[in-house]
Amino acid sequence: MSSPKPKPPSSADQRSDGSQPWLHQKGRTIQEFGTVKQFPVALTMDTRLYSCQRLNKVLADTRILHDLYKKYHWLMRGATFYQLHLLLDKHAGEQLELIDTVAERVQTLGGVAVGDPRHVAEITTVPRPPDGVEEVPSMLSRLLEAHELILTECHDAAARTQEYGDDGTNDLLVSEVVRTNELQAWFVAEHLVDTPLVHS
């Protein structure tokens, strides 16, 4: 005689067993992307909404730049492989820190930071590179173009958020995002200068 098939645990059974994870849960959206909730940070809702929109654009572009740095770190080749392999990984780490800082600023303002990479791809204006490997100068040039896009966006966003009285966002964009991107662009650009080490 075969034993009866075990019944799946009921909701009550799951609740009584504190070690059983509640899997496959789906919930309603409690805050839509592109909105801000009221926070006591002495900024108007319109100001915070504007700042979050600008910050999410910078955040999306920065996430793409970070991924480009990681991709080119892996794909680097040639006589300067070791030097550039290390430099690009260092820059990727610095961009990762900016990602977290910008995302936390969005949250601080009561907004929703762009998170899903598929959503990031919808927002960014950084051009998509080929899936394969380009020549090293082309890879470095793509990094510089992404830096310039972010810097252009940041200069405008910093000025506009200052006009709105959002000193925190202005300071973040100028003191951290702009300065980091300018410094990294300098380091990358100098690898595209064809200067001999010595003169004959």
Side-chain angles (χ1 to χ4, degrees):
M1 181 174 192
S2 62
S3 59
K5 290 183 180 176
K7 292 192 303 187
S10 67
S11 296
D13 292 335
Q14 287 184 335
R15 277 195 283 276
S16 65
D17 182 0
S19 66
Q20 172 58 48
W22 288 35
L23 306 175
H24 310 295
Q25 296 186 64
K26 303 287 187 291
R28 62 185 177 86
T29 300
I30 60 173
Q31 184 181 356
E32 294 290 340
F33 181 80
T35 66
V36 292
K37 55 188 175 181
Q38 191 57 52
F39 267 3
V41 292
L43 292 170
T44 68
M45 187 165 284
D46 285 345
T47 294
R48 292 183 295 108
L49 185 61
Y50 179 79
S51 292
C52 287
Q53 290 169 347
R54 299 303 299 264
L55 287 165
N56 268 319
K57 173 65 171 61
V58 172
L59 179 56
D61 290 344
T62 302
R63 290 190 60 186
I64 296 297
L65 177 57
H66 166 264
D67 288 349
L68 285 178
Y69 265 116
K70 288 304 288 188
K71 175 180 180 176
Y72 297 153
H73 158 76
W74 299 321
L75 301 182
M76 195 48 56
R77 52 198 61 195
T80 57
F81 165 79
Y82 186 68
Q83 178 188 19
L84 283 171
H85 181 72
L86 296 181
L87 178 67
L88 300 189
D89 201 38
K90 176 180 181 290
H91 283 192
E94 292 166 354
Q95 290 294 325
L96 192 58
E97 289 181 18
L98 287 180
I99 288 168
D100 202 46
T101 302
V102 173
E104 287 178 353
R105 180 64 187 169
V106 173
Q107 298 303 128
T108 300
L109 294 172
V112 179
V114 60
D116 190 306
R118 292 160 294 191
H119 192 186
V120 168
E122 294 171 0
I123 296 174
T124 187
T125 52
V126 176
R128 180 175 176 169
D131 292 336
V133 183
E134 294 181 281
E135 295 175 327
V136 171
S138 297
M139 291 191 279
L140 298 181
S141 291
R142 285 188 185 276
L143 292 172
L144 292 175
E145 289 166 8
H147 277 298
E148 191 164 30
L149 278 171
I150 291 170
L151 286 165
T152 300
E153 177 71 18
C154 281
H155 287 304
D156 184 66
R160 294 295 300 277
T161 55
Q162 183 65 46
E163 290 172 9
Y164 277 93
D166 185 352
D167 300 320
T169 297
N170 170 272
D171 180 60
L172 166 64
L173 291 172
V174 174
S175 298
E176 298 191 48
V177 183
V178 167
R179 288 182 181 169
T180 298
N181 278 275
E182 286 176 341
L183 189 64
Q184 290 187 353
W186 171 43
F187 272 72
V188 173
E190 291 298 337
H191 285 84
L192 291 172
V193 176
D194 187 16
T195 303
L197 295 177
V198 293
H199 291 284
S200 56

